[in-house]
Each structure stands twice: as structure tokens, then as C-alpha cells.
Amino acid sequence: MAASHTNICIGNYLLERLKQLGVTKMFGVPGDFTLGFLDLVEDCQGIDWVGNCNELNASYAADGYARVKETSIGVVSTTFGVGELSAMNGIAGAFSEHVPVLHLVGVPSTVQWKAKPMLHHTLGDGRFDAYTKASSHVTISQAAITNTESAASEIDRVLTACITAARPVYLTLPTDMVYLKISAEPLKTPIKPIWPQNNVETEKFVLDDIMKLIAGAGDQVVILADACAIRHHVRMELGELIQKTGFPVYAAPMGKSVVGEDYERYGGIYVGSISHPDVKEKVESAKVVISVGAIKSDFNTANFTYNIPEMKYIELHSQYAKVQYAHFEGIGMKDLLPKLTASIVALNSPSKNAPVPKLEAVIPQDASQEVTQEYLWPRVSKFFQSKDVILTETGTSSFGMLDVPLPSGAVYLTQILYGSIGWAGGSTLGAAFAAKECGLGRTLLFIGDGSLQLTGQELSSMIRHGLTPTIFVLNNDGYVIERFLHGPTRKYNDIQPWRWTSLLNVFGGEEGKTCKSYTVRTRTELSTLLDDPAFAKSDKIQLVEIIMPRLDAPRSLKATADLSSKSNKYAPT
Amino acid sequence: MAASHTNICIGNYLLERLKQLGVTKMFGVPGDFTLGFLDLVEDCQGIDWVGNCNELNASYAADGYARVKETSIGVVSTTFGVGELSAMNGIAGAFSEHVPVLHLVGVPSTVQWKAKPMLHHTLGDGRFDAYTKASSHVTISQAAITNTESAASEIDRVLTACITAARPVYLTLPTDMVYLKISAEPLKTPIKPIWPQNNVETEKFVLDDIMKLIAGAGDQVVILADACAIRHHVRMELGELIQKTGFPVYAAPMGKSVVGEDYERYGGIYVGSISHPDVKEKVESAKVVISVGAIKSDFNTANFTYNIPEMKYIELHSQYAKVQYAHFEGIGMKDLLPKLTASIVALNSPSKNAPVPKLEAVIPQDASQEVTQEYLWPRVSKFFQSKDVILTETGTSSFGMLDVPLPSGAVYLTQILYGSIGWAGGSTLGAAFAAKECGLGRTLLFIGDGSLQLTGQELSSMIRHGLTPTIFVLNNDGYVIERFLHGPTRKYNDIQPWRWTSLLNVFGGEEGKTCKSYTVRTRTELSTLLDDPAFAKSDKIQLVEIIMPRLDAPRSLKATADLSSKSNKYAPT
């Protein structure tokens, strides 16, 4: 291995670091300032190049990969300007939602960077650094490789920042740096997240504070799990807290699936005012709510309608804790959670016996054959299997899935805070690769017809790489989430109808052999398909077009849209 | 009309200004912070909303629209964060290539902008201004509408900057500002570009300098036309210079078609070392070269291989002039050109009789049936008609077209400086709309299979709006321009093969009725198709897949790639 030699070229140093981090796929589009480096990637044992149709899709794929393969990071490689700017929206989404992604950009040589000739892909005015500056607003750390002296330390610095913050970083690699030799010595020391240790005394103070509240709360303590429990790697610690204390546990929409939804002490999704009434009552009447990894964004809280007084609220985060009104900077949950669990176990709190509602999918039994939102989600939930990787796009899908349980071991991906339509289409590519690697099950995507038009060509990359996701296209003739926000009959919410069942074929699939497409128009057709073992096996890429009513949305979307459109003040006042 | 009333809401004020500028189409994707404004757009007489499949495509469409409709600007409307960042690459391309585009972004209300709640589409950390800051690096001016007092002046300021600099500007419109009323009074004064007038004395000095050189050059003066002659609106002044002086005229690649290529004193494309030998000899042996609107980028000059000593070189630009070594800031070509023309006419220079080579398309007569690059371009050039709008994508198409003439009145679009692959796919939508409006002819796109995968879904928008471009897909199995730059047999330059002739159908076209697709594999098949009057009529959207050899490229591309890859130093040293 190159890593064991004394010297290694900068490009391979980077690749070795990525391998150490668990990276096996690099997404992107080749460009003229990346080609020399891509030779190294193509020749690299352990990292495969995955060429995407475009850079936005590539950045989404890297995001999806990192979300599923939680022990790794996502990597997207683009070229100077024309490539990197197209990826920026995907990178910003990773920033917003705490996903560790390296955006690696091939740039002109250091010689050209100094001389600033009017190269193609530039702005034509000599500002070679304009793109880096633009990217600095949506990444947590940036580095430029400009010499052999600092190359290794700069690579290590941004990668460390990436895994520490669980947010994207930006690295430029000039064409003339790729093959320069540097010492391989630093590679002997793997890089790790730099999580500051909790101050012992402060932590004890916080723990005592929390335990006093819990001790006084009787059987009225609940746990509320959210996205940062996944992103900041406390799945295990949270799991122990839940299992060992036996406390009732709920999840925010972005935390869905961090707790197995068939766990007997799991009560469902808490999302403020639009929660299921039983959940709302249980959470809001609790005397103490222990929130783990919260992201209290509008759509994750039903437009900020948490009805939990601060006096009853404990928030544990990656870098701080909050107990009632008191903020404790630097007290991270990773260290704190095991101690909290031990203390609660010792307390033997009666909350372990408090009753918990059950999140159940109830399929409507009316005589209608229309595949309504109310019917769809409970019905597909019966189709899910343990270890499925399930993606929902922002819109009817992400809202519809809230009300139905996922089986234990299922991995659930959605982008509720950033909410970029099209994300799930690209993300599915990365998620499907990661699912294979991690020994997970089927990859299932739920996406609207409007959203899939943004990034639909990436289905061709899935076919190209022999991936076999199943894509449910909710064909309701346009941007339905927007119809509920504003303008239900406006033409700007209309789209061009596509012949969805021919799409896989156009992208190179062979119908019946390497791909299969379906249209279902009735409940019976949908049920029959979902019950078909050949379909459920998911051994080829499948696309299911579900014809749905135009002005229909899940309960939770209607309620959220109503709240959101009010604060947006679309109409004249 | 709203404009004649005393008061008008801010959204309509903006629309009125856009109408005054000649805008009739607004491209974009609806998003939750734009919906209130889009009601106004949909209800607006004179501006049509054109919904795109995604924002990158929308920005390319706005660019293509502005390039063809030279008297107007392009407009792309996106939503906060998720929408605007996806459009950024298209906006940067418009900056690089001097195309006036307004990027209009719907953002949260001013109330939310101050309170900074964790809204969807944000980065989750309260930095509401991060996207504006990112965009500031790729736009020439930015404004945020935040109150009724400054709304009109801020709108006017950025639009004036847009048409003055011929570069993109960025405007944010919060949801709660759209319907607020302001005075319509300023609308009575149309906005105009603010081009500083040339200082009379300096201009006279410059003119004298130039005339001395021309007088001493005998019949050895040539004119070299380039892109900024189009972008900075001196087509007419340049036309008079050329016609009245009779001087031999050549064009740089980015200036192709600014001079009618069938004009008898037009000699073809000058592109440094890779020019046709006759052109190279004539230009480089001239005693004076008058360059109008030059953009001396790498691909526009064959990697900076102009062999024209500064002593013989006169450069006229929008904001400055350069005569030999002397730079004259603030001396713009729009004022100067008519005076220069008059002086030269008075001089009666013998250059008007100097011989000029003729750019001719020579179709190879060998027995091969392979549709090679050498065959393709001369053959399609016989298919062109006056007033055709012809787009070529960066790659084999943009290089291949250099060596063949376009008929007079043809409009030619390509993106040689910025060179973002996929651009032409989206740009064609805007170009086709503008072509209809401007009474131009057919819209013809030449694009490689690799490039069309980036933005291909926008064909569906063309179908949706009944546009009838003809798309020539050069199917040579991957990224051929990159194969010539580096890695001819590398896998990263491969792509997934698509079934191109089914694409229009998938996007909603009805084969034979509203669309028609063809595959041609031989020279005979291509020729027969091009000669078919039904095809040439172009009364429906057409896609022609041309099967071409994998490792074949136009002469000029091979030479440029060779020069460029050397300076890029892809290989280890």
C-alpha cells in the first residue's frame, strides 16, 4: 500500500485519508481541472468513481451516502466554477442538516492561480477565488492545497472539521499539486473527530440538575429523540438510555427511525400542535421532557408550536446542554448520556411504567378505490421490511410518512429542515450504494412527480451501476405541497406530464429484465402489486407511478401549510 | 394599466419595469417564498411565467433568452436557498459572458428576516444573509427590498446596473413586501444604461493615435470582431465600420455571427495558432489590427496564441480603449466607433481593396459513410438558413462549428469562456422563445450525449410550451472533449447510454404529431434527412441522434485540447 511508503503523492494522500474514514464511493462529474486526480481515483483500490449526470445530483448522492453510511462521509468531486457552483445547493443542504460531506474541487494550477489568465470556467475578471468565497458561506471549513509543506495538514484539518461538526467542508486541489510527493507519515495516525471533553465539574452540576427534575417528576418523564442523535453519533448512547430507563420515547419528524418504531415504549411522532392527539397529550402533559439532538425548525415543530414550558424541558446537544432556562456551553451529549442513563437506572423512576400510545397504521376501510394520501401511507407501511432504507421527498411524502410506523432496523431519510425539492432523487443513488455496503435491505423512494423532474436523470446512474431501488412516483399532477401553501389552482404549480413508466427504459434499462415499471390507479392495483413477492423482492430497479387525486395531501401537510402560509403572508394585507 | 396610477404594489412595480425593458418571459421554479409574487406574474399582461424543471435549467434559459433578444434582459425567479443556489452556476456563466440577467429571489418576510427563526430552506444557524453573500461573488449588483421608501430606487438601481454592465444582478423580494403600495411615479421615466460619455479631448487623442497607425499601414489593416460587440450593443456601429470602410474583417470564436459570414469582405475565424492558415497569415501579417469587443480567453484565442504584436494592435472595449501600449480608461467604443468610421472613410485607405480569404464549408468526398466531425459540420452548414438561431454546446459542437460559415442573419450562441456543459440544453428553451418573438427562424441545438444528460429534462418544457427546436445529439459515447484533454480511455469519461429517440415521447411529446425523433448512422442517412423539406420545416420539436465515432473531434478541438492539457499539467512531472 502506498500509505506505508515514506512518500506519497498529494492526490493519493487524500485518497488514503478518505479510505481511512470509510469512503468507498466518490460521486461527481469529471471536468478538465479534475482529470489528473481522477486517474488516481480510477486506479485506487477501495474507492470507486461514480460518475453522475450532473453536479447537483452528485452532491445529493454524496449526502444520501453519508446519511446511510453513518461511519463514513460523503465525497463529491467537481471542477472549478462550472461544476462546483452546480453542486452548491446540495452542499448547503448537507450543512443545514448536519451531514458530513467533502466537496473536492479540481482547480487550475497554482501557477495559473497566481498569473490569473482568462481561463475557461473563470468569471473572466481574474477573481479566481470568487467560487471559494461563495462556498465559504455553506461549508464549515475550507482549504486550498497550494504547496507540499501544508498539503497534508490542510487535508487533515478540513476532514477533521467535517467529521467533528458533521457538516460539509470544501477543498480545492490544483492540477499541478496532485502528483507532488509528500511524506506519508501522518497517515499512520488516523484522524478523529475533535469533540471537546465535558468539564467534569460542570457536567456533574448539569447531571445533578437533571436528576433533581426527574426525581420530582414521578412517572411523568418522556424522551424526545431528534435528528442530531443520528448525525452526531449517539445512536448507541440514546438506545441505552431508552432501553435501560424504559421511559416513554417519542421522535420529532427529523428523528424518525432513530428509535425503532415497533419498540413497545415508543409512542410516535411529536410535532407540536399537529401531533396525534394522544401523543400531544402525553408529551405536553409530562413533567419532564428529555430532548436528545433536537433541531427545532419550522416543519419539524409544526411551525414552532411545541407546547412544552422551558421549566419542564431538558435539551441535550452535541456541544451544549440546556436545563430549564440554564445553558451549559461545552457539555456534549455523547459523554453525558451514559452517565444520565446510569443515574436514572439507579433512581428506578416510575416513568418506566407510564403508559405509551402506540403508533399504528390504520388502513381506511371505505369503499373508495382512489389512492388517497390517507390510504397510501398506511398501506405502504405494511410493505416495509426490517432494514429497508426509505427516502421521502419534501412534500406530501415526507409529511405522509409521519403518521405510519417503520419496522425496526429501517433507515429513514428525509430533508425536512432544508427541504430542497429534488434532493431525494439524487440522494437515493448514494443511499442505495450505502445500503448495499452496510448490509441493509431494499432502497425505497417516495417522491412526487414535480420533484422527480428536478433530478430525474439520476435514475440512469442507478441503472448504470446495477442498483435496484424501487421508486414510487406520486403522480398528482404538479407541485402539491405548494398548492396547499398557496395558489391551489394557479398555473405556476402545474408541470408537464411525463410518461413515467417509460423513463427507466429511456435511461438504458431493459423493461422486464433490468428494470420494471408500473402504473397503479386503484387501491386494489396498489395492494396487489405490493403483495406480489416478485415485486417485493426488489431485485431490479422498479418504478411505480401511483395516480393520485390532485388536491389531496396528508393531514400533517395540510396543517403545516396552513400555519406556514399564514406567517408567510402571501396574500395582500 | 397599473403603471399610470399613483400607487402600485412593489411586485407590480418590478413587473412594469421588466416590461419596459422588453421582458415577456420569466423563467424559474415556484417556491414557497415566491408564490405571492407569482400570482402577480400569472395575472400580468405582457409577461408569461415559464415554469422550468429545475433552477439551473431556468437560469440557462434566462441566459439564452437574453442572448437572442438583445434588446431585453433575462429573468429567473427562484426561492430562498434551495432554489437560488441551484441557479448560481447559470448566473455565474451570465456574469462571465456578459449576459444581462435578473436573478429574482423570493425570501422570507422582513419580520422573519429580523427574528431569524429556524425556517425551512435556511442553513439552520440564523444566517439568513448567507445566500445573498454567496451570490454577491457572481453578480454585478445586489439589492434587497426591505421597505417601501427604497423599494423603487433599489429595483431601478440593480436593473440599471444589469443593462449598463450587461451582467447579472441579484434582487431579494420578501413575502411581505410584494403587495405593499409605493408611488408609480418613477415608472414614467424609463431606466437606461448609464454609459459614461467619452471625454472629448481624450477621445480625440485616441482617434488621432489610431488614425496615424491606419494611415501608415497602407492596405494592411484588418478588423477583428468579438463577443462584446454583441453584448455591449455596438452591432450597428461595428456594421457601419465594416461596411463603410470595406476593411477585411475576421471574427474570434465568441464573436462568430456578429459579422454576416457570407459578407464578401469577411475572412473567417481568427483563433491564434489554430486558425485556418490563410486567416492566420492575413491577420498576423497585417500592420494594424482593430479589435472590437475582444474577450481574450484561453479557448477564444487557442490558449493565448494570438501572434499580434502590441505595436500593431488596437483594442476597443465598452469602457476603455487600448492603442499599442497605451491604455485609455473611460473611452468606450459606442461613441468612438462612428467617429473612427468617419475618419477612415475620409482617409480612403487602400485596405478596402486588400484581398480576403473566404470561409467555406468543404464536405469531404471520400467514400466513408461514417459521420465524422470532419463531415458533419460542413454538411449541416448547408442545412442552415438565414435567421436560424443556432446553439452549440461547449465541446465538439462549439469547436466544430468554427470552421463552417453561417448564413447572414443567423444568430449564433455558444459559451466559450465559461464553458459549463449542459448550458446549451437549458439555454435553447430561452433562445427558442426569443427567436419567436424576434421574428427569427428555426432554433437548432448541437449538443453531445454527455452534455445533454445534465439538463436534458428541459426538453419537456419545450414540448410543454409548443416550441419546435431541432436538437442534434452527437452520440459519441461520453465526454469527448475530456477524452482529448486527458484520459481518452478512462472510465470516468464514460456515460450511461440513453435511448435518445424515446426521450421526447417520455417528456410528453406525441411521436409524429407534436414531436419527431431520428437516429442517423451514415452520411447518406444524415444527408437524406437534412434534405427532407418536412424535416427542414421544423414545425415540431425534433431530435436527431447522430451516431459518431468515439474518438473523433474537430481539428480545432484537438489542437486546443493539446495546448490546454499541456498547461494544466495533468500528468505527473
Side-chain angles (χ1 to χ4, degrees):
Chain A
M1 280 303 303
S4 62
H5 292 167
T6 307
N7 284 316
I8 186 169
C9 75
I10 292 174
N12 277 329
Y13 182 94
L14 173 60
L15 291 172
E16 289 299 318
R17 275 298 191 217
L18 295 179
K19 285 201 274 184
Q20 290 177 350
L21 289 175
V23 173
T24 64
K25 302 284 178 248
M26 185 179 294
F27 301 93
V29 178
D32 43 2
F33 299 116
T34 72
L35 302 177
F37 174 68
L38 292 190
D39 286 357
L40 296 180
V41 178
E42 194 165 312
D43 296 339
C44 173
Q45 296 286 324
I47 297 185
D48 301 321
W49 173 252
V50 180
N52 293 83
C53 289
N54 67 34
E55 291 87 356
L56 177 61
N57 297 358
S59 66
Y60 286 155
D63 173 297
Y65 179 85
R67 284 179 193 245
V68 174
K69 193 172 175 187
E70 292 172 15
T71 55
S72 181
I73 66 170
V75 182
V76 53
S77 162
T78 65
T79 197
F80 190 54
V82 296
E84 59 179 302
L85 294 182
S86 282
M88 192 178 289
N89 185 33
I91 299 299
F95 185 99
S96 178
E97 300 234 335
H98 297 253
V99 182
V101 170
L102 168 65
H103 188 189
L104 176 64
V105 183
V107 301
S109 72
T110 55
V111 179
Q112 290 171 319
W113 203 267
K114 278 174 198 141
K116 302 189 191 347
M118 198 189 287
L119 292 187
H120 61 291
H121 301 344
T122 68
L123 294 166
D125 59 3
R127 291 183 299 125
F128 275 49
D129 61 354
Y131 310 134
T132 297
K133 284 182 176 168
S135 275
S136 71
H137 300 289
V138 298
T139 50
I140 198 76
S141 185
Q142 306 83 36
I145 305 301
T146 56
N147 60 69
T148 53
E149 287 69 36
S150 66
S153 62
E154 286 295 279
I155 289 169
D156 292 357
R157 179 176 64 77
V158 290
L159 291 178
T160 302
C162 183
I163 57 177
T164 300
R167 282 187 148 151
V169 296
Y170 175 91
L171 179 67
T172 54
L173 185 56
T175 54
D176 60 344
M177 290 286 116
V178 177
Y179 287 90
L180 296 185
K181 290 283 167 65
I182 58 174
S183 166
E185 196 62 23
L187 291 173
K188 291 181 182 164
T189 313
I191 55 174
K192 288 178 185 164
I194 303 178
W195 290 318
Q197 283 214 302
N198 290 350
N199 175 284
V200 177
E201 287 180 26
T202 315
E203 189 184 59
K204 186 173 178 313
F205 183 90
V206 172
L207 192 59
D208 288 349
D209 249 18
I210 296 174
M211 288 311 299
K212 262 179 246 162
L213 290 175
I214 292 174
D219 64 354
Q220 295 292 310
V221 185
V222 303
I223 299 168
L224 182 53
D226 206 341
C228 282
I230 306 169
R231 303 281 190 276
H232 291 284
H233 303 291
V234 297
R235 262 187 194 276
M236 199 183 69
E237 294 82 355
L238 172 64
E240 296 217 326
L241 173 73
I242 290 166
Q243 295 284 343
K244 291 188 177 169
T245 65
F247 283 2
V249 60
Y250 302 84
M254 290 179 75
K256 189 177 174 76
S257 88
V258 63
V259 181
E261 292 198 297
D262 52 1
Y263 170 52
E264 69 273 14
R265 305 289 295 154
Y266 173 72
I269 300 293
Y270 177 68
V271 52
S273 64
I274 66 167
S275 308
H276 186 284
D278 291 350
V279 172
K280 185 167 155 57
E281 194 275 325
K282 290 288 184 196
V283 172
E284 296 182 354
S285 71
K287 290 194 175 151
V288 169
V289 176
I290 307 170
S291 152
V292 182
I295 292 184
K296 291 193 284 183
S297 78
D298 55 355
F299 284 2
N300 204 33
T301 64
N303 220 37
F304 314 112
T305 58
Y306 270 24
N307 185 17
I308 307 171
E310 289 207 63
M311 283 301 285
K312 309 195 318 188
Y313 198 52
I314 297 163
E315 281 187 71
L316 307 183
H317 291 277
S318 61
Q319 308 270 345
Y320 73 95
K322 211 178 154 206
V323 183
Q324 297 176 314
Y325 293 97
H327 182 104
F328 300 96
E329 193 59 37
I331 300 300
M333 59 187 170
K334 195 159 184 74
D335 287 348
L336 183 61
L337 278 170
K339 292 163 194 163
L340 180 62
T341 302
S343 301
I344 296 174
V345 169
L347 179 73
N348 196 19
S349 158
S351 283
K352 69 183 171 191
N353 299 317
V356 184
K358 189 156 180 61
L359 176 59
E360 280 179 310
V362 182
I363 301 177
Q365 294 301 322
D366 59 285
S368 167
Q369 273 293 335
E370 230 182 7
V371 185
T372 56
Q373 299 281 341
E374 194 190 6
Y375 176 85
L376 176 69
W377 302 107
R379 183 59 191 87
V380 295
S381 84
K382 307 292 183 195
F383 171 73
F384 296 151
Q385 299 170 2
S386 175
K387 294 196 173 181
D388 279 349
V389 175
I390 300 163
L391 295 98
T392 58
E393 175 77 358
T394 296
T396 51
S397 302
S398 61
F399 284 96
M401 198 66 87
L402 291 184
D403 286 340
V404 302
L406 306 180
S408 82
V411 174
Y412 181 61
L413 270 58
T414 188
Q415 201 197 44
I416 289 177
L417 168 51
Y418 194 61
S420 180
I421 62 168
W423 163 84
S427 194
T428 296
L429 175 70
F433 270 123
K436 273 176 82 167
E437 276 186 48
C438 300
L440 293 164
R442 307 170 302 180
T443 300
L444 310 174
L445 166 64
F446 294 85
I447 187 166
D449 52 344
S451 291
L452 191 53
Q453 291 194 353
L454 279 93
T455 52
Q457 65 265 73
E458 217 52 45
L459 298 180
S460 90
S461 301
M462 301 174 201
I463 296 168
R464 182 180 181 193
H465 293 285
L467 298 169
T468 62
T470 294
I471 296 108
F472 294 88
V473 182
L474 281 56
N475 187 346
N476 44 20
D477 196 20
Y479 303 118
V480 168
I481 185 170
E482 289 178 7
R483 294 197 204 279
F484 279 88
L485 284 166
H486 187 74
T489 59
R490 283 289 185 178
K491 282 188 285 184
Y492 56 69
N493 285 325
D494 296 346
I495 60 168
Q496 167 76 355
W498 285 11
R499 294 194 172 90
W500 291 106
T501 52
S502 300
L503 197 61
L504 296 177
N505 182 261
V506 161
F507 291 156
E510 290 187 57
E511 185 65 25
K513 198 172 162 192
T514 60
C515 71
K516 191 99 173 87
S517 300
Y518 307 85
T519 298
V520 297
R521 297 169 186 279
T522 66
R523 295 183 182 185
T524 305
E525 284 175 10
L526 176 62
S527 257
T528 306
L529 181 64
L530 296 177
D531 289 340
D532 177 357
F535 174 77
K537 205 164 56 173
S538 204
D539 61 352
K540 54 180 79 68
I541 186 169
Q542 304 179 122
L543 186 149
V544 184
E545 178 190 25
I546 307 176
I547 306 295
M548 300 184 70
R550 198 167 190 251
L551 270 180
D552 179 32
R555 177 193 68 80
S556 53
L557 170 55
K558 288 180 193 168
T560 301
D562 199 41
L563 292 166
S564 181
S565 62
K566 271 179 199 142
S567 58
N568 266 333
K569 299 185 184 174
Y570 294 120
T573 45
Chain B
M1 278 304 301
S4 62
H5 294 168
T6 306
N7 284 315
I8 187 169
C9 76
I10 293 175
N12 276 329
Y13 182 95
L14 174 60
L15 291 172
E16 290 299 318
R17 275 296 190 220
L18 295 178
K19 284 199 274 183
Q20 289 178 353
L21 289 175
V23 173
T24 63
K25 301 284 177 249
M26 185 179 294
F27 301 93
V29 178
D32 43 1
F33 299 116
T34 70
L35 302 177
F37 174 69
L38 293 189
D39 286 357
L40 296 180
V41 178
E42 194 165 311
D43 296 339
C44 173
Q45 297 286 324
I47 296 185
D48 300 321
W49 172 253
V50 181
N52 293 83
C53 289
N54 67 34
E55 290 87 356
L56 177 61
N57 297 358
S59 65
Y60 286 155
D63 173 298
Y65 179 84
R67 284 178 193 245
V68 174
K69 194 172 174 187
E70 292 172 15
T71 54
S72 180
I73 66 170
V75 182
V76 54
S77 162
T78 65
T79 198
F80 190 52
V82 297
E84 60 179 302
L85 294 182
S86 281
M88 191 179 290
N89 186 34
I91 299 299
F95 186 100
S96 178
E97 300 233 336
H98 298 252
V99 182
V101 171
L102 166 66
H103 188 189
L104 176 64
V105 183
V107 302
S109 72
T110 55
V111 179
Q112 292 173 319
W113 202 268
K114 277 171 198 144
K116 303 189 191 345
M118 199 189 284
L119 293 186
H120 62 291
H121 301 346
T122 69
L123 294 166
D125 59 2
R127 292 184 296 124
F128 275 49
D129 61 353
Y131 310 135
T132 297
K133 284 182 175 166
S135 274
S136 71
H137 300 288
V138 298
T139 50
I140 198 76
S141 184
Q142 306 84 35
I145 304 302
T146 57
N147 59 69
T148 52
E149 286 68 38
S150 67
S153 61
E154 285 296 278
I155 288 169
D156 291 357
R157 179 176 63 79
V158 289
L159 291 178
T160 303
C162 183
I163 57 177
T164 300
R167 281 187 151 154
V169 295
Y170 175 91
L171 179 67
T172 54
L173 185 56
T175 54
D176 60 344
M177 289 287 114
V178 176
Y179 287 90
L180 296 185
K181 290 281 168 65
I182 57 174
S183 164
E185 196 62 26
L187 291 173
K188 291 180 182 164
T189 314
I191 55 174
K192 289 178 185 164
I194 303 177
W195 290 316
Q197 285 214 303
N198 292 348
N199 175 285
V200 178
E201 287 181 26
T202 314
E203 188 185 59
K204 186 175 180 311
F205 184 91
V206 172
L207 193 60
D208 289 349
D209 249 19
I210 295 173
M211 289 311 299
K212 262 180 244 160
L213 290 175
I214 292 174
D219 64 355
Q220 294 293 307
V221 186
V222 302
I223 299 168
L224 182 53
D226 206 341
C228 282
I230 305 170
R231 301 281 190 276
H232 291 282
H233 303 290
V234 297
R235 264 187 192 277
M236 197 185 69
E237 293 82 355
L238 172 64
E240 296 217 325
L241 174 74
I242 291 165
Q243 294 285 342
K244 290 187 177 169
T245 65
F247 284 2
V249 59
Y250 302 84
M254 291 179 74
K256 187 175 174 78
S257 88
V258 64
V259 181
E261 291 198 297
D262 53 0
Y263 172 52
E264 69 272 15
R265 304 289 294 155
Y266 174 71
I269 301 292
Y270 176 68
V271 51
S273 65
I274 66 168
S275 310
H276 186 285
D278 290 351
V279 173
K280 185 168 154 56
E281 195 274 326
K282 290 288 182 195
V283 173
E284 296 181 354
S285 71
K287 288 193 177 152
V288 168
V289 176
I290 306 170
S291 153
V292 182
I295 292 184
K296 291 194 283 181
S297 79
D298 55 355
F299 284 1
N300 204 32
T301 64
N303 222 35
F304 314 112
T305 57
Y306 271 25
N307 186 18
I308 307 171
E310 291 208 61
M311 283 301 285
K312 309 195 319 192
Y313 197 51
I314 297 163
E315 280 187 73
L316 307 183
H317 293 276
S318 60
Q319 308 271 347
Y320 72 95
K322 210 176 155 208
V323 183
Q324 296 177 316
Y325 293 98
H327 182 103
F328 302 94
E329 192 60 36
I331 300 300
M333 59 188 170
K334 193 155 186 78
D335 287 349
L336 183 60
L337 277 169
K339 293 163 193 163
L340 180 62
T341 301
S343 301
I344 296 173
V345 169
L347 180 73
N348 197 17
S349 158
S351 283
K352 68 182 174 192
N353 299 317
V356 184
K358 189 156 182 59
L359 176 59
E360 281 179 308
V362 183
I363 301 175
Q365 295 300 324
D366 59 285
S368 168
Q369 273 294 335
E370 231 180 8
V371 184
T372 56
Q373 299 281 342
E374 194 189 4
Y375 175 84
L376 176 69
W377 302 107
R379 183 59 191 85
V380 293
S381 84
K382 307 293 183 197
F383 171 73
F384 296 150
Q385 298 170 3
S386 175
K387 295 198 173 181
D388 279 348
V389 175
I390 301 162
L391 295 98
T392 58
E393 175 76 1
T394 297
T396 51
S397 301
S398 60
F399 284 96
M401 198 66 85
L402 291 184
D403 286 340
V404 303
L406 305 181
S408 83
V411 174
Y412 181 61
L413 270 57
T414 188
Q415 201 197 44
I416 289 178
L417 168 51
Y418 194 61
S420 181
I421 62 169
W423 163 84
S427 194
T428 295
L429 174 69
F433 271 122
K436 273 176 82 170
E437 276 186 48
C438 301
L440 294 163
R442 308 170 301 180
T443 300
L444 310 173
L445 166 64
F446 294 85
I447 188 166
D449 52 344
S451 291
L452 191 52
Q453 291 195 352
L454 280 93
T455 52
Q457 65 264 73
E458 218 51 43
L459 298 180
S460 90
S461 302
M462 301 174 202
I463 296 168
R464 183 181 180 192
H465 293 283
L467 298 169
T468 61
T470 294
I471 296 109
F472 294 88
V473 182
L474 281 55
N475 187 346
N476 44 22
D477 197 20
Y479 304 118
V480 168
I481 185 171
E482 289 179 7
R483 293 195 204 281
F484 279 88
L485 284 164
H486 187 75
T489 60
R490 284 289 185 175
K491 281 188 286 183
Y492 55 70
N493 285 326
D494 296 346
I495 60 167
Q496 168 75 356
W498 286 9
R499 294 195 173 89
W500 291 105
T501 52
S502 300
L503 198 60
L504 295 178
N505 183 259
V506 160
F507 291 156
E510 288 187 60
E511 186 65 24
K513 198 173 161 193
T514 60
C515 70
K516 191 100 174 88
S517 300
Y518 307 84
T519 299
V520 297
R521 298 170 184 280
T522 65
R523 296 183 181 185
T524 303
E525 285 174 8
L526 176 63
S527 256
T528 305
L529 181 64
L530 296 177
D531 289 340
D532 177 357
F535 174 78
K537 205 165 52 172
S538 206
D539 61 353
K540 55 180 80 67
I541 185 169
Q542 303 180 119
L543 186 149
V544 184
E545 178 189 24
I546 307 176
I547 307 294
M548 300 185 68
R550 196 167 192 253
L551 271 180
D552 179 32
R555 176 194 69 79
S556 53
L557 170 56
K558 289 181 194 167
T560 301
D562 197 43
L563 293 166
S564 180
S565 63
K566 268 178 199 145
S567 57
N568 267 332
K569 298 184 182 173
Y570 296 119
T573 44

